[in-house]
Amino acid sequence: MVPSGGLIRLREALPRLSDSEARIAEFIIQNPSEFVNLTIQELASRSQSSPAAAVRLWKSLGFTGYQEFKIRVASDVQSNVAEEYSELKVGSSFAAVLRSVEERHLQSIQNTLRLLDESAVEEAVRVIHRASKVMTYGIGASAVVADDLAQKLTRIGFPVYEAADFHKAAVLASQLNDQDVLVLLSHSGATSEVVEVAEIAKRKGAHLIAVTRFGDTPLSRIVDTKLYVSAVEPQVRLGATTSRMAALTVIDVLLVSLANQFREEIYEALEVTRNVVKSHKFRN
């Protein structure tokens, strides 16, 4: 399968781009099929920008070159990547609410899977498997995802420490070393407590993995491995919804990849943990 995610990276990065880069990004988002046939000079001319800004753009998006950028966008065009999320109108019917929730979750999951980098997932699997201990940390809705990861890792026999408040997280992070892994959950990548805990663990030599939104953020600048999520929340936001689902999707990809690579030992641990609780299951 040809790697995709070009249009998704553009949409995720758009609010944080310079004016010249944003003009190029907006042109590509509106004209993806035309873009894949343009040289850098032609792109600069059509978007009323400069070749230098075009180069800065694909570099800031994490692509190795202009050709990879075009291939990723072309793959998105072939896959009919959905447009941006649409907001519900006030007084929408129950059926419209159901469709909105379904569409948001499906789109955030699909876009997140397109954003995920295979080498980053492989690195995360490798360092977690060899870690002396794994620590998970997130705040608010991200704490729910961190707890889910900790529970699943515990089920397959990994030594896990989890924290949902800053003080406990700071204490645990200060006891990590270069044999340990800290997995940080933060959609914004800019939550001060999460960044501070990351800095503590970084000084102790731990390997840092972040499940966070795509882009240049205080958290992404610190961590070693970045697992990106794509999620745009509704304007009327009762709490993290699509971002939570996107992060849980990344966690599932990580765990399934771990089980796939180390199947024998993980399935053995699963069987052991299943047996110790199965007597508490009611039988029909």
Side-chain angles (χ1 to χ4, degrees):
M1 183 176 67
V2 178
S4 56
L7 291 176
I8 299 159
R9 291 194 190 192
L10 282 169
R11 289 173 184 152
E12 295 283 335
L14 189 57
R16 299 174 297 280
L17 296 175
S18 67
D19 289 343
S20 59
E21 293 172 11
R23 285 197 298 273
I24 299 173
E26 288 170 348
F27 172 82
I28 297 171
I29 290 169
Q30 294 168 11
N31 308 277
S33 297
E34 181 180 348
F35 159 68
V36 298
N37 295 310
L38 297 178
T39 65
I40 290 181
Q41 290 73 21
E42 290 169 337
L43 173 63
S45 175
R46 295 282 284 110
S47 60
Q48 298 182 344
S49 191
S50 68
V55 172
R56 289 196 302 272
L57 176 61
W58 61 252
K59 286 185 176 180
S60 69
L61 295 175
F63 297 121
T64 57
Y66 186 58
Q67 192 61 29
E68 183 196 359
F69 186 11
K70 292 203 292 184
I71 289 172
R72 294 286 189 118
V73 171
S75 181
D76 285 339
V77 172
Q78 287 289 103
S79 303
N80 295 315
V81 172
E83 297 297 324
E84 296 183 32
Y85 303 89
S86 58
E87 291 293 328
L88 275 174
K89 294 179 180 179
V90 175
S92 293
S93 66
F94 181 64
V97 171
L98 293 182
R99 284 196 302 272
S100 176
V101 171
E102 178 187 29
E103 289 170 1
R104 285 179 180 278
H105 286 336
L106 287 175
Q107 190 175 339
S108 67
I109 290 171
Q110 290 168 353
N111 288 349
T112 292
L113 294 177
R114 290 187 175 98
L115 269 182
L116 270 181
D117 181 81
E118 182 179 358
S119 62
V121 174
E122 289 175 347
E123 181 176 55
V125 166
R126 184 172 61 254
V127 297
I128 287 174
H129 181 256
R130 73 185 185 202
S132 294
K133 59 179 175 286
V134 179
M135 175 183 166
T136 67
Y137 178 49
I139 290 178
S142 293
V144 175
V145 184
D147 181 67
D148 182 67
L149 172 60
Q151 186 272 338
K152 287 176 177 174
L153 287 174
T154 301
R155 279 293 313 275
I156 57 178
F158 286 82
V160 182
Y161 299 80
E162 58 179 307
D165 70 82
F166 170 74
H167 290 274
K168 181 179 179 181
V171 170
L172 289 174
S174 71
Q175 298 174 21
L176 299 177
N177 58 48
D178 61 3
Q179 302 300 310
D180 302 327
V181 172
L182 169 59
V183 183
L184 302 133
L185 290 298
S186 172
H187 179 64
S188 70
T191 304
S192 62
E193 295 94 332
V194 176
V195 173
E196 187 171 342
V197 168
E199 290 171 338
I200 293 169
K202 189 76 170 180
R203 289 194 293 270
K204 303 299 290 187
H207 187 101
L208 308 186
I209 299 171
V211 178
T212 186
R213 68 171 173 80
F214 178 79
D216 180 32
T217 66
L219 183 61
S220 67
R221 295 180 207 127
I222 299 172
V223 301
D224 304 293
T225 306
K226 295 174 274 288
L227 303 176
Y228 290 123
V229 301
S230 171
V232 177
E233 297 289 358
Q235 291 176 4
V236 180
R237 189 173 187 270
L238 302 178
T241 53
T242 57
S243 59
R244 185 190 70 248
M245 295 302 295
L248 286 168
T249 299
V250 172
I251 295 307
D252 284 348
V253 169
L254 184 61
L255 269 294
V256 172
S257 297
L258 192 62
N260 184 57
Q261 187 165 343
F262 303 101
R263 182 182 181 90
E264 187 172 326
E265 63 182 270
I266 286 176
Y267 274 69
E268 181 179 348
L270 271 175
E271 188 62 24
V272 169
T273 56
R274 184 183 295 114
N275 287 335
V276 297
V277 298
K278 71 177 183 180
S279 63
H280 293 271
K281 301 287 186 182
F282 288 110
R283 295 181 180 179
N284 294 332

